[in-house]
């Protein structure tokens, strides 16, 4: 099981959209608030997901290169 931290870039498995973890609520099972940019579809969305519903986003993160190629 992956534990995400605030600021991590993730992809929501249900919608396929990328976002940023903005809050982690515990104890386990952890609930993650993910801010997703909806693009032209409207304002940003706040999604509430469990860790198994999130995946890593490949690419660059603000802190440097992503550990995932």
């Amino acid at each position: 099981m992956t534990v995400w931290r605030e600021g991590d870039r993730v992809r929501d498995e249900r919608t396929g959209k990328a976002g940023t973890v903005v809050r982690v609520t515990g104890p386990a099972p952890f609930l993650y608030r993910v801010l997703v940019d909806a693009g032209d579809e409207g304002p940003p969305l706040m999604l509430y997901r469990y860790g198994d519903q999130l995946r890593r986003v490949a690419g660059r993160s603000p802190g440097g290169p992503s550990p995932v190629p």
Side-chain angles (χ1 to χ4, degrees):
M1 180 173 116
T2 302
V3 178
W4 306 99
R5 296 183 312 207
E6 292 178 10
D8 283 350
R9 293 283 298 160
V10 296
R11 183 179 53 83
D12 175 43
E13 189 176 72
R14 293 173 71 184
T15 64
K17 296 184 180 205
T20 304
V21 176
V22 294
R23 168 115 357 157
V24 180
T25 306
F30 294 105
L31 186 63
Y32 300 92
R33 293 185 196 179
V34 179
L35 184 62
V36 174
D37 182 19
D40 295 335
E41 299 174 18
L45 303 172
M46 184 69 70
L47 303 177
Y48 294 80
R49 297 290 188 252
Y50 291 105
D52 63 344
Q53 297 171 319
L54 301 174
R55 299 291 176 257
R56 289 195 190 281
V57 172
R60 257 183 88 73
S61 64
S66 175
V68 178

